[in-house]
């Protein structure tokens, strides 16, 4: 790529000319000249100072998306040119999807000895970051993301509910927010799809996680299910997480949306490779297909 693009992306990340110069092993004036050269070529400002604080302009965000997609497409081109016999795709999946939704599709895809994949399971925020760094071909994401910044298509509408121990008074019922205030709620870490959905549902009604008597943050689904199973607390997640566990029951909350989206997400101005589409077709034909 144009060396100025690398300098531009570094400055977008560092938001400081001195630190950018240090990372790039350039002088600070050299970084400034490269950014000024880009601005002159494009006929627009990319960065401005606001009370001595460096800020990005809307044009810089358009250029960033273009450069990221250019880098991604170049990486795909190099992979195609160097392609060996085994076909490999790089998939990201949020934890619910990775642990409970795409298992059958992964097994079917890898049943072909010419197919290979790298599957990264992490929270929504981390996967979107890796997409922008061209480290993934696409990601299957639960919950909320900025659809203006990425290409996406609906994979599945999944029931979203509260979960509790099978003997809990909430089991199989619809309860009000007020009835939840004395409960211990167990949530995922910041950046996770299920937590973002719960916080959004609460915020839409003027509530927050502070409404609960106790709030515990745990990133492991296995541990969350165990704590819910023995009655330590309740949690909120998708049906796929707990539907096969007889010791866990679902409950609904008045006014909460009953289902939320699982989406396939990839960088704008790029394409999912053919092998990725093959995998997604297996997912669509199996248990992970779109449910109306």
């Amino acid at each position: 790529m144009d060396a100025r693009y690398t300098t531009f992306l570094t400055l977008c990340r560092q938001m400081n000319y001195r630190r950018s110069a240090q990372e790039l092993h350039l002088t600070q004036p050299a970084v400034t000249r490269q950014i000024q050269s880009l601005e002159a070529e494009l006929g627009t400002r990319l960065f401005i100072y606001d009370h001595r604080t460096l800020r990005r302009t809307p044009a810089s965000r358009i250029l960033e998306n273009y450069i990221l997609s250019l880098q991604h497409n170049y990486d795909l081109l190099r992979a195609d040119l160097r392609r060996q016999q085994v076909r490999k795709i790089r998939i990201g999946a949020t934890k619910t999807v990775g642990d409970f939704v795409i298992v059958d599709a992964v097994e079917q895809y890898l049943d072909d000895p010419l197919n290979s994949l790298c599957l990264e399971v992490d929270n929504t925020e981390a996967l979107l970051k890796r997409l922008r760094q061209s480290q993934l071909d696409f990601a299957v994401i639960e919950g909320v993301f900025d659809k203006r910044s990425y290409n996406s298509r609906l994979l599945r509408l999944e029931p979203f509910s509260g979960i509790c121990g099978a003997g809990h008074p909430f089991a199989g019922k619809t309860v009000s927010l007020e009835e939840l205030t004395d409960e211990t709620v167990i949530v995922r870490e910041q950046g996770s799809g299920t937590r973002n959905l719960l916080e959004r549902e609460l915020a839409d009604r003027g509530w927050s996680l502070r409404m609960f008597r106790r709030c515990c943050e745990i990133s492991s689904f296995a541990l969350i299910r165990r704590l819910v199973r023995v009655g330590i607390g309740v949690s909120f997640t998708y049906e796929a997480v707990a539907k096969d566990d007889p010791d866990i029951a679902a409950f609904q909350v008045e006014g909460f949306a009953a289902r939320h989206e699982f989406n396939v997400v990839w960088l704008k101005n790029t394409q999912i490779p053919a092998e990725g589409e093959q995998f997604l077709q297996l997912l669509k034909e199996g248990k992970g297909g779109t449910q109306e």
Side-chain angles (χ1 to χ4, degrees):
M1 288 196 306
D2 189 323
R4 296 174 302 174
Y5 290 170
T6 301
T7 300
F8 168 78
L9 291 177
T10 303
L11 185 56
C12 286
R13 185 174 65 256
Q14 294 284 6
M15 291 305 292
N16 181 283
Y17 279 91
R18 178 181 57 80
R19 290 197 299 269
S20 297
Q22 290 174 341
E23 179 177 332
L24 294 165
H25 303 291
L26 297 172
T27 65
Q28 186 170 330
V31 172
T32 301
R33 285 195 298 270
Q34 288 192 28
I35 298 302
Q36 290 174 340
S37 172
L38 266 180
E39 291 178 330
E41 181 178 308
L42 297 173
T44 187
R45 295 292 300 277
L46 300 172
F47 299 91
I48 58 173
Y49 277 99
D50 181 10
H51 300 292
R52 302 184 68 180
T53 299
L54 188 65
R55 300 193 185 281
R56 299 178 59 182
T57 66
S60 79
R61 301 191 183 278
I62 295 174
L63 178 61
E64 181 186 29
N65 286 333
Y66 168 77
I67 295 173
L68 291 172
S69 63
L70 183 68
Q71 179 66 61
H72 181 84
N73 286 329
Y74 180 65
D75 289 343
L76 289 180
L77 172 63
R78 289 196 305 171
D80 284 341
L81 294 176
R82 299 174 181 175
R83 187 175 300 278
Q84 299 178 358
Q85 189 177 22
V86 175
R87 302 177 293 264
K88 187 173 184 178
I89 51 175
R90 303 169 301 167
I91 306 172
T94 47
K95 292 186 178 180
T96 302
V97 176
D99 290 344
F100 301 99
V101 175
I102 68 173
V103 177
D104 289 343
V106 168
E107 181 178 339
Q108 292 176 54
Y109 183 77
L110 293 179
D111 192 49
D112 184 337
L114 295 182
N115 288 340
S116 180
L117 60 78
C118 176
L119 175 61
E120 185 165 351
V121 179
D122 210 327
N123 64 45
T124 301
E125 184 177 316
L127 294 178
L128 293 176
K129 180 179 179 180
R130 285 169 176 76
L131 274 177
R132 295 181 67 80
Q133 293 172 339
S134 193
Q135 295 176 352
L136 298 173
D137 296 315
F138 62 92
V140 184
I141 287 176
E142 60 190 89
V144 182
F145 64 98
D146 184 359
K147 291 187 177 180
R148 299 168 299 178
S149 300
Y150 303 90
N151 287 336
S152 66
R153 64 174 180 253
L154 179 66
L155 172 68
R156 174 174 180 167
L157 289 171
E158 176 74 7
F160 183 79
S161 66
I163 58 172
C164 59
H168 194 285
F170 289 173
K173 297 182 179 179
T174 298
V175 301
S176 66
L177 280 173
E178 288 78 6
E179 291 178 88
L180 288 169
T181 55
D182 289 332
E183 296 294 325
T184 292
V185 64
I186 306 169
V187 297
R188 288 269 312 285
E189 75 280 3
Q190 289 280 358
S192 73
T194 51
R195 177 170 178 158
N196 288 341
L197 285 173
L198 173 60
E199 290 185 320
R200 188 177 67 170
E201 293 282 7
L202 292 171
D204 286 347
R205 292 154 187 80
W207 294 72
S208 73
L209 292 175
R210 292 191 299 272
M211 65 172 276
F212 296 99
R213 178 176 62 85
R214 182 171 57 166
C215 181
C216 302
E217 182 177 307
I218 297 175
S219 63
S220 165
F221 270 129
L223 183 52
I224 290 175
R225 293 204 302 175
R226 178 169 179 170
L227 294 174
V228 167
R229 193 181 295 119
V230 299
I232 297 296
V234 302
S235 189
F236 292 83
T237 188
Y238 292 98
E239 180 183 75
V241 174
K243 66 178 181 180
D244 296 324
D245 192 329
D247 296 321
I248 294 179
F251 66 91
Q252 301 297 326
V253 179
E254 291 177 356
F256 276 22
R259 296 192 294 178
H260 286 282
E261 297 179 354
F262 289 172
N263 285 287
V264 181
V265 184
W266 66 102
L267 277 178
K268 278 190 175 296
N269 306 313
T270 68
Q271 293 183 334
I272 296 174
E275 294 82 6
E277 293 291 359
Q278 177 190 350
F279 174 84
L280 291 172
Q281 184 62 33
L282 292 173
L283 194 53
K284 181 178 180 181
E285 293 171 355
K287 297 179 181 179
T290 303
Q291 297 177 352
E292 299 298 341

